[in-house]
Amino acid sequence: MENKSFDPAALEMLEIVKKEGYETAWERLEKQQPQCGFGLLGVCCRNCMMGPCRINPFGDDPQRGVCGATADVIVARNVDRMIAGGASAHSDHGRRPAILLKEVAEGKNRDYQIKDVDKLKAVAQKLGIDVNAEINEIALKVAEIALNDFGKQDEEPIKFLMAYAPKKRIELWKKVEEALSTNAKIKILPRNIDREIVDIMHRTHIGVDNEALSLLAQGIRAALADGWGGSLIATEFQDILFGTPMVKEVEANLGVIDPDYVNIIVHGHEPVLSEKIVEVAESEEMQNKARQAGAKGINLIGMCCTGNEILMRQGVPIAGNVLHSELSIVTGAIDAMVVDVQCIFPALPELADCFHTVFISTSEQAKFEKGIHIQFEEDKAIETAKKIIEKAIEAYSRRDKSKIYVPKQKSKAIVGFSVEQILKALGGSVKPIVDVIVEGKIKGVAGIVGCNNPKVKQDYFHVTLTKELISRDILVIGTGCWAIAAAKAGLMTMDAVKMAGDGLKSVCQALNIPPVLHMGSCVDCSRMLVLAGAIADYLNADISDLPLVGSAPEWYTEKAVSIGTYFIASGIPVHLWPLPPVLGSEKVTKILTEDVKELLGGYFFIEGDPIKTVEKMEEIIMEKRKKLGI
Amino acid sequence: MENKSFDPAALEMLEIVKKEGYETAWERLEKQQPQCGFGLLGVCCRNCMMGPCRINPFGDDPQRGVCGATADVIVARNVDRMIAGGASAHSDHGRRPAILLKEVAEGKNRDYQIKDVDKLKAVAQKLGIDVNAEINEIALKVAEIALNDFGKQDEEPIKFLMAYAPKKRIELWKKVEEALSTNAKIKILPRNIDREIVDIMHRTHIGVDNEALSLLAQGIRAALADGWGGSLIATEFQDILFGTPMVKEVEANLGVIDPDYVNIIVHGHEPVLSEKIVEVAESEEMQNKARQAGAKGINLIGMCCTGNEILMRQGVPIAGNVLHSELSIVTGAIDAMVVDVQCIFPALPELADCFHTVFISTSEQAKFEKGIHIQFEEDKAIETAKKIIEKAIEAYSRRDKSKIYVPKQKSKAIVGFSVEQILKALGGSVKPIVDVIVEGKIKGVAGIVGCNNPKVKQDYFHVTLTKELISRDILVIGTGCWAIAAAKAGLMTMDAVKMAGDGLKSVCQALNIPPVLHMGSCVDCSRMLVLAGAIADYLNADISDLPLVGSAPEWYTEKAVSIGTYFIASGIPVHLWPLPPVLGSEKVTKILTEDVKELLGGYFFIEGDPIKTVEKMEEIIMEKRKKLGI
């Protein structure tokens, strides 16, 4: 049991799971043992029907697929398709608020408004749009540039990347293209967010691209279109529509579930609907309905990255990260789980059926075999939100009290560290943060991103890594399920400052910030890029010169592969655990962990022990400091 | 040996392969035995790093992936990603001539011209463009509509589909959307060619779409965007730029290789470069150079679908279908193999190294571990073509005569049956073909598409199926590697008319056409859609009412999955062999082979014996005839 989670709330729930015989990801992982070694090494190919093929990792036959593909080609193709999956998820996410902002600007949607005019103007300014025009006019232009980045059919790099990435980095990308294109043309600057994904799917088709570096370069291109395109558009447009996150105190972990209330969990990644659910749930009408049903009111709770979105913007409490999604239902006190897209285990509706919980899917892109579906239409957002909340209130009356068990654990957390909030805390410029780095009070900054993965003890890597980093005066920022782990562990409080090294401690006290900063959901990794870019531009340096490192411990999604790739392609070394499926090719492994360093400054490294990971991270940071002469 | 190929030329070459110890797809397939049963059934999932997961096909544990995905979800996701791969390949192919036509119209590219003004005007007319304008103006508008279909970000169906699909079918698709959207929204009309692929990649990410029908509907949507979008754009724009194919006599099989000449094989799928190579190779300058090197001249030869493209338009002889690509090199008489994209076995350059053959890759999207790369730039097309031909002439002088063996086999074939050519043969209207179908002289039409797959005796299924069909008065049309098989087998000659049943025979004699019609490369399956649509519109009927059947025997690519899917979604029942990786899910199998029939008229059926396949096809055709009252 203790091997499964580092979170005591999870352990309590896992006891119930065991006693009652429920099934969660941990049990299913056990049933999947042993997992396919070919798949784990990346040497399984199913891209055509001459296969499936697999390469013998011990050097005996077969060493080639039926088409002749080597392990190098197969592994590189598989990595590319993972990036394609991840970048598609993020970019499709970004497309939604971009279309919504256009509709709002055109007056076609009246359920949403532009909440953050300052942010709109800031984005417009970056894009070179006249900010003295009428608000809707500005919004329309901003939306059109974004949608054009998804759809344009020329060879020019996407506008958002060119407007947001630091100057030196753009120069470097162009140089890398030249360096790689001595013979064949190899491009890494993305032309169009969707097209780079289609390009990957074409290249990885049987008999197209059959060279590892060429394949991986296209993976990088699609990942850059995600980080500086799709994900960034998601972040910026959500800020414009729903407000840029600012500092607030929230609560995290299963203890936020209150059995006296109608508990509604919103889970997934896109906040377009959940923002409305927050709004409608707070209405007197809905609270009254809940009271009429015998509850004290409605308790809206976030989960996973939809949770992060409304936590950051509205201060809605969060029940947990992705491995808490099943455990929350087992409390017996969740009346409705409302989901949009991504990381929604298909097992959830079946588990919900063991309780009174109504599982409600809402997205056109995400349906489930069980549960109910309430189709979300952006232009009927308030109506949809009402329908959903009413379903939850109905379910409340069907509760089986004998099944209710809610762990007490919950932690306070200070969240809301958008780039804008960080700059505000610093007095409007990155100078103070640069100064404390130069002075050595902070050695550097580590950016960490979700997920959970039942192959890793839940939250153990996240929390141990984070604690050790701050103890060594490395400021930790991050997003996604990592951020929820840190919040649950109490690392996002002023109390946690005492765990920091002396230098970082003094900075936190001076700025009145925790040593661990929540920057948002997993698409908000774009905020980390923007922050890094701002520091680089301030110093007239390249991102790869800065004492920055990244990590995706406990990763499991294709999105994480895309994020890691746009980080390394933006100049940031990235730690990964568990092992990515690349070890079946020495060449691909070498490109991603060594060769790419020369070209792009960033690279991947693999390490399964949190303390050793920190040692490596500190080593990288100290090396960068040395080069900077600080 | 006899189990490997039905083509005597292949058998001769396979003897040499065996004797000399070369390796081809057949040997590699043997080395891959036994292939993974989970992969073959479609129940292996590698879409996240909690996996790889696999479902026990015998009903024991595990029955769910770590996330909870069932076999139904896993199989449907895998089918969708195959469609995404195939549709990407076709649509990316279509994008290229669309961009090229725009550049030609704008005067930015002077290496290419608009060769077929009539076709341009016909396409423009379908799209509602004024055809009295200046040619470049028309071309620009046509290109812009196509590129807009790749990039637009609204919810309207793509313009090419709306302009080309028959009226009744469009109505039916809309009805199907309504019927499926009683609860959740399910759409099948594509909004944008690229976006439907990105949508698939998003939906198939862990924790997004978890319902088989919803997933498969999106697969259908992306496939329709391929068939009536990307592939159709490829066909139409290539016709505009390079000319619409018209009837001509050509030669097919390895016997077209002439050891006295510099033999250059062009292999792949996109004809943009190879059209120029044809042009430049015919020039006195290049022929002279070849003669100076001691050869009689240059013998340009096609292979696979690039071969089909220049065979159909320029009458260039074709050496074979995809399983001939390795065998052609083993003749020792190929001086250069020039490749663009798709179905180019990565084993080829290594095999070329056993000979003097220079393997030349040319596409930005397709590089190889060995061989040389000559980057093709559309605006330096003639220059690139020259460079390539010069490399071939150089290689000619390095031939090892002791290694040369060219089989004698070659067959004549009458090819060039574009829709325009068929209509011309019919006197400008589909009426004559409808009449002979109504009279029963022709029972119906079977449309067949490539590939080869070493799991099936090469060409055996293609040829046996085709012969049996024509003997039963079923006209056979088709594309891709099937068409090359039929050409090699002599089925595209007037001689073959004697193999036809009496009814078909009389029609062939009256119209002076063979009983087996070559309609082009695999993207040209769009020609079959257009022909079916024209007949349907003429009869004011739906495609599914017509006595048409499709088949992809010997299939192996993801493109074939996309083609099969857009055929069934357009109302045509489609035979498949070998087994597609779906049998691990009873639900997915039932949707694709049964349920979809009610909705869309088309459906898949599986059969491993050619004669039984014909029996089933005839049964379908006779059933349709009965319903039509003919």
Side-chain angles (χ1 to χ4, degrees):
Chain A
M1 196 66 71
E2 259 94 64
N3 285 333
K4 290 185 175 169
S5 183
F6 194 55
D7 179 341
L11 294 178
E12 283 184 34
M13 295 316 299
L14 284 166
E15 285 293 346
I16 298 174
V17 167
K18 195 178 170 187
K19 206 178 79 194
E20 303 294 336
Y22 300 127
E23 195 185 73
T24 69
W26 286 280
E27 287 76 36
R28 291 189 297 270
L29 178 63
E30 270 168 35
K31 287 185 185 171
Q32 281 290 341
Q33 297 310 312
Q35 289 176 293
C36 175
F38 298 101
L40 286 167
L41 292 171
V43 293
C44 150
C45 180
R46 293 195 263 100
N47 296 12
C48 89
M49 238 3 228
M50 297 194 293
C53 294
R54 36 196 176 186
I55 303 302
N56 186 321
F58 303 109
D60 294 330
D61 273 340
Q63 284 301 300
R64 287 175 172 271
V66 178
C67 69
T70 58
D72 298 336
V73 171
I74 291 172
V75 171
R77 285 200 296 222
N78 289 340
V79 169
D80 263 15
R81 288 202 170 184
M82 292 194 91
I83 293 172
S88 292
H90 282 150
S91 298
D92 228 20
H93 176 163
R95 189 195 322 266
R96 186 174 285 255
I99 290 174
L100 180 56
L101 182 64
K102 183 166 180 270
E103 289 173 350
V104 169
E106 291 172 336
K108 287 181 188 161
N109 184 310
R110 303 199 177 276
D111 277 22
Y112 292 90
Q113 290 81 36
I114 295 166
K115 267 203 191 159
D116 194 337
V117 173
D118 289 345
K119 178 86 187 213
L120 170 67
K121 287 188 177 174
V123 174
Q125 198 141 33
K126 270 187 179 286
L127 296 168
I129 294 166
D130 175 15
V131 295
N132 295 313
E134 196 262 323
I135 295 304
N136 282 331
E137 207 176 298
I138 301 173
L140 187 61
K141 280 188 186 162
V142 168
E144 277 170 353
I145 291 178
L147 293 173
N148 200 44
D149 276 352
F150 283 99
K152 70 193 195 58
Q153 300 293 321
D154 59 37
E155 297 292 312
E156 293 304 307
I158 53 171
K159 284 240 170 76
F160 265 81
L161 175 136
M162 295 305 275
Y164 274 79
K167 278 191 302 286
K168 293 245 171 178
R169 185 57 18 188
I170 294 175
E171 282 164 29
L172 185 139
W173 286 325
K174 288 182 180 166
K175 272 185 211 151
V176 168
E177 286 189 347
E178 269 174 51
L180 293 177
S181 298
T182 47
N183 177 28
K185 194 152 78 176
I186 294 190
K187 296 275 192 181
I188 58 169
L189 277 162
R191 301 155 289 189
N192 163 319
I193 300 166
D194 288 342
R195 183 173 173 188
E196 303 313 346
I197 292 160
V198 173
D199 191 308
I200 282 183
M201 295 309 291
H202 181 190
R203 267 176 213 254
T204 52
H205 185 277
I206 153 76
V208 187
D209 210 351
N210 287 294
E211 204 281 306
L213 181 64
S214 174
L215 281 161
L216 295 173
Q218 181 59 26
I220 283 170
R221 197 181 198 184
L224 285 174
D226 170 357
W228 297 95
S231 281
L232 189 129
I233 288 169
T235 299
E236 300 298 73
F237 281 65
Q238 289 171 180
D239 283 358
I240 292 169
L241 286 163
F242 311 130
T244 302
M246 287 291 152
V247 156
K248 49 185 64 70
E249 198 180 64
V250 298
E251 290 182 322
N253 216 343
L254 294 173
V256 304
I257 299 167
D258 187 335
D260 293 340
Y261 285 75
V262 173
N263 290 299
I264 304 175
I265 284 189
V266 287
H267 173 26
H269 284 77
E270 292 176 352
V272 180
L273 171 60
S274 48
E275 276 285 335
K276 277 300 145 191
I277 296 181
V278 176
E279 196 182 304
V280 175
E282 282 168 358
S283 71
E284 209 41 43
E285 183 195 350
M286 287 296 135
Q287 293 287 347
N288 267 337
K289 279 204 179 176
R291 284 190 284 264
Q292 279 158 18
K296 283 189 181 169
I298 295 166
N299 183 35
L300 193 74
I301 304 165
M303 173 73 70
C304 202
C305 279
T306 292
N308 276 328
E309 297 277 2
I310 52 175
L311 171 99
M312 291 280 284
R313 293 200 181 86
Q314 316 299 346
V316 171
I318 195 159
N321 39 16
V322 66
L323 278 178
H324 270 34
S325 62
E326 292 181 287
L327 303 181
S328 69
I329 289 178
V330 178
T331 65
I334 302 304
D335 302 297
M337 177 174 274
V338 186
V339 303
D340 48 83
V341 291
Q342 300 165 26
C343 299
I344 300 150
F345 291 171
L348 285 165
E350 191 144 319
L351 184 62
D353 271 358
C354 304
F355 298 86
H356 75 293
T357 311
V358 52
F359 178 90
I360 305 173
S361 56
T362 61
S363 167
E364 187 180 338
Q365 291 178 294
K367 289 136 198 163
F368 291 79
E369 288 170 346
K370 297 200 169 184
I372 64 168
H373 187 86
I374 297 180
Q375 184 64 54
F376 172 49
E377 312 265 8
E378 268 98 341
D379 56 348
K380 293 172 197 146
I382 295 170
E383 196 186 313
T384 316
K386 275 190 187 174
K387 248 194 249 177
I388 286 168
I389 295 168
E390 282 164 359
K391 283 279 173 203
I393 296 171
E394 264 173 58
Y396 173 83
S397 61
R398 295 195 302 271
R399 276 193 190 175
D400 178 348
K401 288 200 176 151
S402 71
K403 284 186 173 175
I404 296 179
Y405 178 84
V406 178
K408 292 279 169 290
Q409 286 85 356
K410 59 180 174 179
S411 300
K412 296 224 182 282
I414 301 167
V415 303
F417 291 93
S418 58
V419 176
E420 290 80 353
Q421 173 64 69
I422 291 172
L423 287 175
K424 200 179 152 197
L426 296 173
S429 151
V430 294
K431 184 174 181 299
I433 194 95
V434 171
D435 289 346
V436 293
I437 291 173
V438 171
E439 288 165 32
K441 285 183 181 166
I442 294 178
K443 286 180 192 149
V445 182
I448 316 183
V449 60
C451 328
N452 282 152
N453 185 330
K455 292 177 183 176
V456 181
K457 185 176 178 173
Q458 186 196 11
D459 294 356
Y460 169 73
F461 211 132
H462 287 321
V463 173
T464 313
L465 182 75
T466 305
K467 280 186 181 170
E468 186 68 20
L469 282 165
I470 59 172
S471 79
R472 299 189 189 203
D473 291 324
I474 295 165
L475 176 69
V476 181
I477 61 177
T479 64
C481 283
W482 164 82
I484 304 169
K488 288 190 296 175
L491 300 177
M492 290 171 166
T493 57
M494 290 312 292
D495 248 18
V497 173
K498 62 172 180 279
M499 300 183 211
D502 288 341
L504 177 56
K505 197 182 288 176
S506 68
V507 173
C508 291
Q509 283 160 347
L511 295 173
N512 197 30
I513 55 167
V516 175
L517 304 182
H518 193 318
M519 290 194 80
S521 68
C522 53
V523 283
D524 292 331
C525 286
S526 61
R527 295 193 201 275
M528 294 197 257
L529 290 183
V530 171
L531 183 62
I535 297 173
D537 267 347
Y538 172 80
L539 291 169
N540 196 26
D542 178 55
I543 294 177
S544 67
D545 299 328
L546 308 177
L548 308 178
V549 281
S551 173
E554 311 191 19
W555 77 277
Y556 90 105
T557 70
E558 293 176 317
K559 290 180 291 181
V561 181
S562 183
I563 294 170
T565 305
Y566 71 64
F567 262 57
I568 66 159
S570 300
I572 304 168
V574 172
H575 161 258
L576 277 186
W577 190 258
L579 282 172
V582 301
L583 296 194
S585 162
E586 220 172 290
K587 189 175 186 177
V588 171
T589 305
K590 186 168 171 293
I591 290 173
L592 294 175
T593 60
E594 294 177 32
D595 303 354
V596 74
K597 184 179 178 181
E598 285 305 303
L599 289 168
L600 292 161
Y603 53 93
F604 286 111
F605 64 97
I606 314 291
E607 176 53 60
D609 176 79
I611 305 300
K612 283 188 189 153
T613 303
V614 175
E615 279 162 9
K616 173 75 181 160
M617 284 175 146
E618 190 176 2
E619 191 185 309
I620 292 166
I621 283 173
M622 296 317 283
E623 194 189 313
K624 302 253 182 194
R625 292 183 64 92
K626 202 173 157 190
K627 270 198 196 157
L628 283 170
I630 59 174
Chain B
M1 196 66 72
E2 260 95 63
N3 285 332
K4 290 184 176 170
S5 184
F6 193 57
D7 179 341
L11 294 178
E12 283 184 35
M13 294 317 298
L14 284 167
E15 285 293 347
I16 297 174
V17 167
K18 195 179 170 188
K19 205 178 78 193
E20 302 294 335
Y22 301 127
E23 194 186 73
T24 69
W26 287 280
E27 287 76 36
R28 291 189 296 270
L29 179 64
E30 270 169 34
K31 287 186 186 171
Q32 281 291 342
Q33 299 307 313
Q35 290 177 293
C36 175
F38 298 101
L40 287 167
L41 292 170
V43 292
C44 150
C45 180
R46 293 194 265 99
N47 297 13
C48 90
M49 237 7 225
M50 298 195 291
C53 294
R54 35 196 176 185
I55 304 301
N56 185 320
F58 304 109
D60 294 329
D61 273 340
Q63 284 302 299
R64 286 174 171 271
V66 178
C67 69
T70 58
D72 298 335
V73 171
I74 292 172
V75 171
R77 284 200 297 222
N78 289 339
V79 168
D80 263 15
R81 287 202 170 184
M82 293 194 92
I83 293 172
S88 292
H90 283 150
S91 299
D92 228 20
H93 176 163
R95 189 195 324 266
R96 186 173 283 255
I99 291 174
L100 180 56
L101 182 64
K102 182 165 181 270
E103 288 172 351
V104 169
E106 290 172 337
K108 287 181 187 163
N109 184 310
R110 302 199 178 275
D111 277 22
Y112 291 90
Q113 289 81 36
I114 294 167
K115 266 204 190 158
D116 193 337
V117 174
D118 289 344
K119 178 85 187 212
L120 171 66
K121 287 189 177 173
V123 174
Q125 198 142 33
K126 269 187 179 285
L127 295 168
I129 293 166
D130 175 16
V131 295
N132 296 313
E134 195 264 322
I135 295 304
N136 282 331
E137 206 177 300
I138 301 172
L140 187 61
K141 280 188 185 161
V142 167
E144 277 170 353
I145 290 179
L147 293 173
N148 199 46
D149 276 351
F150 282 99
K152 71 193 192 60
Q153 300 293 320
D154 58 37
E155 297 292 313
E156 293 304 307
I158 54 170
K159 284 240 170 77
F160 266 81
L161 175 137
M162 296 304 276
Y164 274 79
K167 278 192 302 284
K168 293 245 172 181
R169 185 61 13 191
I170 294 176
E171 282 164 28
L172 185 139
W173 285 325
K174 287 183 181 167
K175 272 186 210 153
V176 168
E177 286 189 348
E178 268 175 50
L180 292 177
S181 298
T182 47
N183 176 28
K185 194 152 79 176
I186 294 189
K187 296 274 191 181
I188 57 169
L189 277 162
R191 300 155 289 188
N192 163 319
I193 299 166
D194 287 342
R195 184 174 172 187
E196 303 313 345
I197 291 159
V198 173
D199 191 309
I200 282 184
M201 295 309 289
H202 180 191
R203 268 176 212 253
T204 53
H205 185 278
I206 152 76
V208 187
D209 209 351
N210 288 293
E211 205 280 307
L213 180 65
S214 173
L215 281 160
L216 295 173
Q218 181 59 27
I220 284 170
R221 199 181 196 185
L224 286 173
D226 170 357
W228 297 95
S231 281
L232 188 129
I233 288 168
T235 300
E236 299 299 73
F237 281 65
Q238 289 172 180
D239 282 357
I240 292 169
L241 286 161
F242 311 129
T244 302
M246 288 290 153
V247 156
K248 50 185 63 71
E249 199 181 65
V250 298
E251 290 183 323
N253 216 342
L254 294 172
V256 303
I257 300 167
D258 186 335
D260 293 340
Y261 285 74
V262 174
N263 290 300
I264 303 176
I265 284 191
V266 288
H267 173 26
H269 284 77
E270 292 176 351
V272 179
L273 171 60
S274 47
E275 276 285 335
K276 277 299 143 191
I277 297 181
V278 176
E279 196 182 302
V280 175
E282 284 168 356
S283 71
E284 209 40 44
E285 183 195 350
M286 287 297 135
Q287 293 285 349
N288 267 337
K289 279 204 178 177
R291 284 189 284 263
Q292 279 157 19
K296 285 189 180 167
I298 295 166
N299 183 34
L300 193 73
I301 303 165
M303 172 72 69
C304 201
C305 279
T306 292
N308 276 327
E309 298 277 1
I310 53 176
L311 170 100
M312 291 280 283
R313 293 200 181 86
Q314 316 300 345
V316 171
I318 194 158
N321 39 15
V322 66
L323 277 177
H324 270 34
S325 61
E326 292 180 287
L327 303 181
S328 68
I329 289 178
V330 178
T331 64
I334 303 304
D335 302 296
M337 177 174 274
V338 186
V339 303
D340 49 82
V341 291
Q342 301 166 25
C343 300
I344 301 150
F345 291 171
L348 285 166
E350 192 144 320
L351 184 62
D353 272 359
C354 303
F355 298 85
H356 75 293
T357 312
V358 53
F359 178 89
I360 306 173
S361 57
T362 60
S363 167
E364 188 180 337
Q365 291 178 295
K367 290 135 196 164
F368 291 79
E369 288 169 346
K370 298 199 169 185
I372 65 168
H373 187 87
I374 298 180
Q375 184 64 54
F376 172 48
E377 311 266 8
E378 267 99 340
D379 56 350
K380 294 172 197 145
I382 295 170
E383 197 186 312
T384 316
K386 275 190 187 173
K387 247 193 251 177
I388 287 168
I389 295 168
E390 283 164 0
K391 283 280 173 202
I393 296 171
E394 264 173 59
Y396 173 83
S397 61
R398 294 194 302 270
R399 276 193 191 175
D400 178 348
K401 287 197 178 152
S402 72
K403 284 187 173 175
I404 295 179
Y405 178 84
V406 179
K408 292 278 170 290
Q409 286 84 357
K410 58 178 174 180
S411 299
K412 295 224 183 282
I414 301 167
V415 303
F417 290 93
S418 58
V419 176
E420 290 80 354
Q421 173 65 69
I422 292 172
L423 286 175
K424 200 179 151 197
L426 297 172
S429 151
V430 293
K431 185 174 181 299
I433 193 96
V434 170
D435 289 346
V436 292
I437 291 173
V438 170
E439 290 164 30
K441 285 183 182 165
I442 294 178
K443 286 181 193 147
V445 182
I448 316 184
V449 62
C451 329
N452 281 152
N453 185 331
K455 292 178 183 176
V456 181
K457 185 175 179 172
Q458 186 197 11
D459 294 357
Y460 170 72
F461 211 131
H462 286 321
V463 173
T464 314
L465 183 73
T466 305
K467 280 187 181 171
E468 185 69 22
L469 282 166
I470 60 172
S471 79
R472 298 188 190 205
D473 291 324
I474 295 166
L475 176 69
V476 181
I477 62 177
T479 64
C481 283
W482 164 82
I484 304 169
K488 288 189 295 174
L491 301 177
M492 290 171 166
T493 57
M494 291 312 293
D495 248 18
V497 174
K498 62 172 180 279
M499 301 183 210
D502 288 341
L504 177 57
K505 197 182 287 173
S506 68
V507 174
C508 291
Q509 282 161 345
L511 295 173
N512 198 30
I513 57 168
V516 175
L517 304 182
H518 193 319
M519 289 194 81
S521 69
C522 52
V523 283
D524 292 331
C525 286
S526 62
R527 295 194 202 274
M528 293 197 256
L529 289 184
V530 171
L531 182 62
I535 297 173
D537 267 347
Y538 172 80
L539 291 169
N540 194 27
D542 179 56
I543 294 178
S544 66
D545 298 328
L546 309 177
L548 308 178
V549 282
S551 172
E554 311 192 21
W555 78 276
Y556 89 105
T557 70
E558 293 176 318
K559 290 181 290 180
V561 181
S562 183
I563 294 170
T565 305
Y566 71 65
F567 261 57
I568 66 159
S570 299
I572 303 167
V574 172
H575 161 258
L576 278 186
W577 189 258
L579 281 172
V582 302
L583 297 194
S585 163
E586 219 173 289
K587 190 173 184 177
V588 171
T589 305
K590 186 167 171 291
I591 290 172
L592 294 175
T593 60
E594 294 177 32
D595 303 353
V596 75
K597 183 178 179 181
E598 285 305 304
L599 289 168
L600 291 162
Y603 54 92
F604 285 111
F605 64 97
I606 314 291
E607 176 53 61
D609 176 79
I611 305 302
K612 282 188 189 153
T613 304
V614 175
E615 279 162 10
K616 173 74 183 163
M617 284 174 144
E618 190 176 5
E619 191 186 308
I620 292 166
I621 283 173
M622 295 318 283
E623 193 190 313
K624 302 252 183 197
R625 292 183 64 91
K626 202 173 158 192
K627 268 200 196 154
L628 282 170
I630 59 175

